[in-house]
């Protein structure tokens, strides 16, 4: 993958920026305000996503005795809340789409700052691979620029040029979806030996278990009607791929084994979370958005 590395890096940057810009274009200040002022829901969601899931990821990875690459991948994924696909899960399960989308972008923004210290602290305490640690300052700076700035720009456009935001959002969302597939494909193709080696392994199982546990934790640590609670479960189950990719590039030099494990964990988590949302949505007539 060495020859294609610059292209992979460029597509990754486009994916992260497009995703957060699209999130900003789709988010209203009133929706964000509603989440921010619902203190019980906000505090429980922050507890679930910023504390509980990272610690559970560490515990599950240790319980399954993962090798270093898989352990690192699980910790990075577990420490990164606010995955954009979480908002899609709220639609699939016909849940509280407005609250889910607002919470997703809020968690992505906060997670861009919390990811570095949390993942670095866990990896240092676990002493994985001889005590791997991340350059927290560089990671926070990189992720904040790639996520917070595009989101803020999108939010401003939505606030002051609503018609432009509504017209730009479909194309931006399509760019996000296409580049997400390209990023996953690049991770798989560039690390296919490592991914094949993981088939039937504990790394794939760990990713699936983490997704199920995170869904349950997010649902339990939420308030409101069942539709809102399971929406928060879906938001918690889907983690944000942007910060882990930045971490792999900064701290691990895009090591193929870590990229392969990261792809395996992300895919296995999505494969488990999507059917859960579909089953929940089957018995609902419509969302609360």
């Amino acid at each position: 993958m060495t020859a294609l590395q610059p292209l992979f890096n460029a597509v990754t940057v486009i994916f992260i920026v497009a995703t957060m810009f699209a999130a900003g274009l789709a988010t209203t200040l009133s929706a964000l305000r509603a989440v921010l002022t619902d203190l019980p829901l906000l505090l429980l969601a922050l507890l679930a996503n910023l504390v509980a899931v990272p610690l559970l990821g560490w515990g599950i990875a240790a319980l399954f005795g993962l090798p270093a690459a898989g352990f690192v991948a699980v910790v990075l994924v577990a420490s990164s809340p606010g995955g954009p696909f979480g908002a899609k899960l709220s639609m699939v399960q016909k849940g509280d789409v407005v609250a889910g989308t607002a919470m997703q972008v809020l968690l992505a923004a906060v997670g861009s700052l919390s990811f570095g210290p949390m993942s670095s602290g866990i990896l240092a305490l676990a002493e994985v691979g001889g005590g791997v640690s991340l350059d927290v300052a560089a990671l926070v700076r990189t992720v904040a620029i790639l996520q917070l700035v595009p989101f803020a720009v999108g939010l401003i456009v939505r606030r002051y040029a609503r018609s432009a935001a509504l017209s730009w959002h479909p194309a931006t969302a399509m760019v996000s979806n296409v580049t997400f597939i390209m990023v996953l494909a690049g991770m798989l193709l560039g690390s296919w030996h490592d991914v094949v080696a993981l088939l039937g392994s504990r790394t794939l199982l760990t990713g699936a278990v983490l997704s199920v546990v995170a869904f349950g934790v997010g649902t339990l640590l939420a308030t409101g009607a069942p539709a809102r609670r399971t929406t928060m479960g879906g938001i918690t189950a889907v983690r944000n791929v942007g910060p882990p990719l930045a971490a792999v590039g900064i701290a691990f030099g895009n090591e193929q084994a870590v990229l392969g494990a990261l792809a395996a964990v992300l895919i296995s988590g999505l494969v488990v979370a999507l059917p859960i949302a579909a089953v929940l949505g089957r018995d609902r007539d419509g969302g609360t958005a």
Side-chain angles (χ1 to χ4, degrees):
M1 188 177 175
T2 304
L4 297 177
Q5 192 63 55
L7 177 61
F8 176 78
N9 292 341
V11 173
T12 300
V13 169
I14 294 172
F15 159 68
I16 298 172
V17 171
T19 298
M20 295 309 297
F21 183 55
L25 292 175
T27 304
T28 62
L29 289 176
S30 60
L32 278 180
R33 192 180 302 114
V35 171
L36 289 173
T37 54
D38 190 340
L39 289 182
L41 178 67
L42 176 62
L43 293 176
L44 287 172
L46 292 175
L47 175 63
N49 283 273
L50 302 184
V51 180
V53 173
L55 294 179
L56 285 168
W58 178 12
I60 295 172
L63 178 65
F64 282 90
L66 297 186
F71 197 108
V72 168
V74 170
V75 169
L76 294 181
V77 170
S79 301
S80 182
F85 199 76
K88 297 183 188 299
L89 285 188
S90 66
M91 301 175 189
V92 172
Q93 66 171 280
K94 299 175 184 176
D96 192 335
V97 178
V98 172
T101 301
M103 186 63 73
Q104 179 258 311
V105 296
L106 177 64
L107 288 170
V110 176
S112 68
L113 301 177
S114 68
F115 170 78
M118 176 59 76
S119 57
S120 179
I122 291 176
L123 291 175
L125 288 172
E127 297 185 346
V128 177
V132 173
S133 62
L134 306 177
D135 185 341
V136 174
L139 185 58
V140 168
R141 183 170 58 251
T142 300
V143 174
I145 291 173
L146 290 179
Q147 293 203 109
L148 294 183
V149 172
F151 174 67
V153 172
L155 194 64
I156 291 171
V157 173
R158 176 60 185 254
R159 175 68 177 83
Y160 295 103
R162 184 174 181 272
S163 59
L166 294 177
S167 64
W168 293 354
H169 182 264
T172 308
M174 180 176 294
V175 171
S176 171
N177 292 334
V178 170
T179 51
F180 176 63
I181 295 173
M182 292 174 66
V183 167
L184 281 181
M187 292 166 65
L188 290 170
L189 292 175
S191 313
W192 70 271
H193 286 98
D194 301 287
V195 174
V196 170
L198 291 173
L199 292 178
S201 72
R202 288 168 295 178
T203 300
L204 282 170
L205 179 60
T206 302
V209 170
L210 176 64
S211 183
V212 172
V213 171
F215 208 120
V217 169
T219 300
L220 290 173
L221 294 179
T223 60
R228 170 170 286 193
R229 293 170 68 91
T230 58
T231 295
M232 295 303 132
I235 296 297
T236 306
V238 179
R239 314 306 282 174
N240 193 353
V241 67
L245 284 173
V248 173
I250 292 172
F252 301 98
N254 287 312
E255 183 179 333
Q256 298 305 316
V258 180
L259 280 174
L262 189 63
V265 171
L266 290 168
I267 292 173
S268 62
L270 288 175
V271 166
V272 170
L274 187 56
I276 295 175
V279 169
L280 289 170
R282 188 174 57 189
D283 299 324
R284 291 175 179 165
D285 293 330
T288 60

